[in-house]
Amino acid sequence: MWTLKNRFVTAGLVALTIAGTTIATTSQAEARNNFGRGFAAGIAGTLVGGALLSAAHDRPVYTTPVYAEPTYYGPPPVVYEPVYPRCHIAWRQDGFGDMYRVRVCN
């Protein structure tokens, strides 16, 4: 998430890089020792590149959503228990694994 501080820092580093490269670069015909200027431009480029890379990794992380309990207004729901008649038919299995029906009474 970009904040105002991050935008100012990035804009400042970009401005510093542009200003530094215009000052540090000279024409190729001049043979001068520009180590200090080149070193400063390299440091500024490193800072700008680091700021851009750190912003590239600053992506939103999606996690599992947290939902609130559903609000239910009204009487509690009625839960019906299954009621079998006094006797009912059920499936059983014998020792050999064969299925058969049997009448079960409570």
Side-chain angles (χ1 to χ4, degrees):
M1 182 171 77
W2 282 89
T3 61
L4 191 60
K5 183 180 86 169
N6 288 347
R7 290 180 191 217
F8 280 129
V9 169
T10 304
L13 289 175
V14 168
L16 178 68
T17 302
I18 292 172
T21 55
T22 56
I23 293 172
T25 57
T26 58
S27 65
Q28 294 179 357
E30 298 177 12
R32 294 184 181 171
N33 185 7
N34 291 326
F35 176 76
R37 292 180 188 169
F39 184 74
I43 294 295
T46 302
L47 291 175
V48 169
L52 292 176
L53 285 177
S54 68
H57 291 294
D58 190 21
R59 297 287 180 242
V61 178
Y62 298 105
T63 60
T64 57
V66 179
Y67 297 109
E69 287 281 332
T71 306
Y72 180 77
Y73 298 106
V78 178
V79 179
Y80 293 102
E81 295 290 329
V83 178
Y84 291 104
R86 194 155 192 83
C87 294
H88 63 277
I89 304 295
W91 285 94
R92 303 293 172 159
Q93 188 175 9
D94 62 4
F96 297 104
D98 297 326
M99 299 296 292
Y100 63 95
R101 293 187 327 175
V102 66
R103 185 174 178 193
V104 178
C105 294
N106 293 343

